Amino acid sequence: MQFNIPNTLTLLRICLIPVLAIVFYTPFEHHLLVAAGVFGFAAITDWIDGYLARKLGQMTAFGAFLDPVADKLMVAVALVLLVERHGTPLFTLAACVIIGREIVISALREWMAELGARTSVAVSYVGKVKTAFQMVAITALLAIDPATNESWLLALCYVVLYVAAVLTLWSMFIYLKAAWVVMKERDNSF
């Protein structure tokens, strides 16, 4: 059996989730920067494992299942941590939109796969841009303590996260629209 680098990176990302939470709450000097580094490293391994899976021909059913799960878990946990620290209504709404969309799209993809139409809800360009904005915003927000830093950088991070939330809704609409076409073709009762 061949060692699968992409699957190993995906498993590493999952193992980093409790590390992120522990570092975030452990009060040592620069703990927020370390937490941001853990999340940033995980975000980079997401891109690397996808690239390596294609490049090395190591795409597996296990990886296809686990990779998006690892991403969604890491993002959801990071956003929950951040809501505690940046707990304004607008911030909380953005986090809820992002987490809620991930749940909806995961369920939609699973259901579409059961219908044999999984490719109808494949990752879109808007979804990729949303992910980039989301990862940058979360990484930066993990590094900043809003209680001690009210700089332009914090405001910029909020804007990037809110843009990610808008892109999240937009990409969800694209996926739902594509699924709707398939559903209408399969069930004329709509």
Side-chain angles (χ1 to χ4, degrees):
M1 184 174 181
Q2 177 181 344
F3 179 72
N4 189 296
I5 297 169
N7 287 352
T8 303
L9 290 173
T10 299
L11 289 170
L12 172 63
R13 221 163 37 255
I14 291 171
C15 292
L16 287 175
I17 293 169
V19 173
L20 171 64
I22 290 166
V23 168
F24 185 82
Y25 285 115
T26 305
F28 61 89
E29 190 174 4
H30 306 300
H31 70 107
L32 294 179
L33 285 175
V34 174
V38 169
F39 184 86
F41 176 74
I44 290 168
T45 64
D46 176 34
W47 179 82
I48 292 171
D49 72 23
Y51 172 80
L52 289 176
R54 291 183 296 278
K55 180 91 172 159
L56 301 174
Q58 293 186 341
M59 293 181 284
T60 64
F62 177 74
F65 158 73
L66 198 58
D67 182 64
V69 170
D71 302 340
K72 288 164 183 38
L73 285 172
M74 183 63 92
V75 167
V77 167
L79 286 171
V80 168
L81 295 173
L82 288 170
V83 163
E84 179 187 5
R85 187 149 297 176
H86 301 262
T88 66
L90 187 57
F91 190 95
T92 302
L93 178 63
C96 289
V97 163
I98 292 168
I99 293 169
R101 178 260 189 206
E102 296 303 341
I103 294 167
V104 168
I105 298 305
S106 293
L108 179 67
R109 285 186 176 139
E110 181 180 332
W111 187 57
M112 294 301 285
E114 288 178 19
L115 296 177
R118 171 78 164 84
T119 57
S120 298
V121 287
V123 176
S124 70
Y125 178 73
V126 174
K128 291 180 181 185
V129 172
K130 176 267 314 174
T131 299
F133 272 78
Q134 183 176 283
M135 296 305 189
V136 167
I138 292 171
T139 302
L141 286 165
L142 283 167
I144 299 171
D145 184 352
T148 60
N149 186 344
E150 294 190 20
S151 70
W152 63 270
L153 182 59
L154 179 61
L156 179 63
C157 291
Y158 287 150
V159 169
V160 174
L161 184 73
Y162 300 149
V163 168
V166 169
L167 291 172
T168 294
L169 290 174
W170 183 12
S171 69
M172 184 173 73
F173 174 76
I174 291 168
Y175 295 132
L176 291 173
K177 185 177 172 186
W180 182 259
V181 170
V182 173
M183 287 185 272
K184 280 184 74 171
E185 288 173 0
R186 292 180 181 265
D187 185 1
N188 291 324
S189 66
F190 285 104

